[in-house]
Amino acid sequence: MAVRRFGGVMGPMVTPFRADESLDLEGFAFNVRAHMAAGLDGVLVAGSTGEAALLSDDERRTLTEVARDAVPRERTLLVGTGAESTRHCVARCRAAASSGADAVLVVAPHYYSSSMTPPALRAHYLRVADESPVPVLLYNIPKYAHFRLEPELIAELSMHENIRGMKDSAGEMAYFARYIESQSEKVDVMTGHGGTFATALSLGARGGILAVALFAAVLALEVFHAHRDQRPADAEAAQEPLVPMAGEIVARMGVP
């Protein structure tokens, strides 16, 4: 079986709700199909844009199953499984795998942030990687975790056979360049920052998991394809309108 690679342009799905706060599964499925029709290479369920912190485990499982029905097998279904305890994270990884996820995206525990030392994070991620039935991607998002995953830790964790990549949503290019140093034939580094997508690609990123791609897929895909085809001027031209979109709609206005 060919080893799945992680790249291209993916969309971190929003989670629509009905007035009674139940999941709008019909709307969710419609959105997944629309993102597939727009040409995205995959979707992420239960990420930050999907309001993962507010979802129950049953809701995560249901959303994953609905997405799996709409995402072709040749494209990628990622599921966010981060949790505040290692055992809960492992349980979410197993549930995601049984519901059809191709891989999981794991944000670090962060409620007790002062205790999240490099040894604690190392132990957490190594156990998750050991016990997850599907590949693990690390998730760096200081905006919500209130600390970053250091490049040295990423380099060490990337040696594990089941840790297959990472998503960096910070958009700090000096750090991103150091994350790229851990990239290999096995490990794919992706950005989650739409405002610096073209720059991340120029530094070596294999793609992006971008909220801005949910409503500007044509532009996000053009940035990626132009970079791939060595058309830097076209990549920059497509990137230019993405910057205010990512800053105003994604960052300032947020999920709603």
Side-chain angles (χ1 to χ4, degrees):
M1 179 181 295
V3 175
R4 182 177 291 274
R5 303 303 301 273
F6 303 100
V9 179
M10 302 189 198
M13 297 293 303
V14 297
T15 304
F17 294 89
R18 299 187 183 280
D20 64 0
E21 298 187 19
S22 63
L23 295 174
D24 179 1
L25 295 178
E26 181 179 324
F28 181 76
F30 179 90
N31 286 348
V32 178
R33 292 192 297 269
H35 297 323
M36 293 297 94
L40 297 189
D41 296 285
V43 294
L44 165 66
V45 172
S48 300
T49 305
E51 301 181 82
L54 310 180
L55 298 174
S56 71
D57 286 350
D58 284 344
E59 287 172 332
R60 289 168 182 259
R61 186 178 299 107
T62 298
L63 291 167
T64 303
E65 291 169 352
V66 171
R68 182 73 277 172
D69 285 342
V71 176
R73 287 290 173 176
E74 66 271 16
R75 303 197 210 183
T76 300
L77 173 58
L78 295 176
V79 176
T81 58
E84 288 301 317
S85 73
T86 305
R87 64 178 181 178
H88 193 185
C89 183
V90 168
R92 283 179 172 174
C93 291
R94 290 173 174 159
S98 68
S99 298
D102 295 309
V104 292
L105 182 69
V106 182
V107 68
H110 48 271
Y111 187 87
Y112 297 107
S113 58
S114 63
S115 297
M116 292 299 101
T117 61
L121 291 169
R122 182 185 307 111
H124 172 77
Y125 275 118
L126 290 178
R127 179 179 164 192
V128 170
D130 283 343
E131 299 187 27
S132 173
V134 291
V136 171
L137 278 69
L138 311 174
Y139 186 15
N140 183 59
I141 183 160
K143 177 179 179 180
Y144 298 134
H146 307 297
F147 60 82
R148 71 167 59 90
L149 299 179
E150 295 296 337
E152 296 81 4
L153 178 63
I154 298 295
E156 183 176 355
L157 293 174
S158 295
M159 301 301 292
H160 192 288
E161 63 180 7
N162 202 35
I163 292 179
R164 297 282 311 287
M166 74 171 291
K167 174 188 178 183
D168 169 54
S169 291
E172 300 176 42
M173 290 297 98
Y175 271 89
F176 192 81
R178 296 184 63 193
Y179 294 141
I180 290 292
E181 294 173 3
S182 296
Q183 191 161 252
S184 66
E185 289 303 309
K186 176 185 80 72
V187 176
D188 299 309
V189 177
M190 302 182 71
T191 182
H193 193 268
T196 55
F197 188 30
T199 301
L201 291 172
S202 70
L203 289 172
R206 299 241 163 93
I209 304 172
L210 308 173
V212 73
L214 298 176
F215 56 86
V218 171
L219 288 170
L221 286 164
E222 175 57 19
V223 173
F224 180 77
H225 293 152
H227 172 79
R228 181 195 61 191
D229 299 338
Q230 299 183 335
R231 295 182 282 115
D234 292 338
E236 289 299 331
Q239 175 67 53
E240 185 176 358
L242 283 183
V243 174
M245 290 181 185
E248 181 67 13
I249 299 173
V250 176
R252 191 187 71 81
M253 296 174 67
V255 175

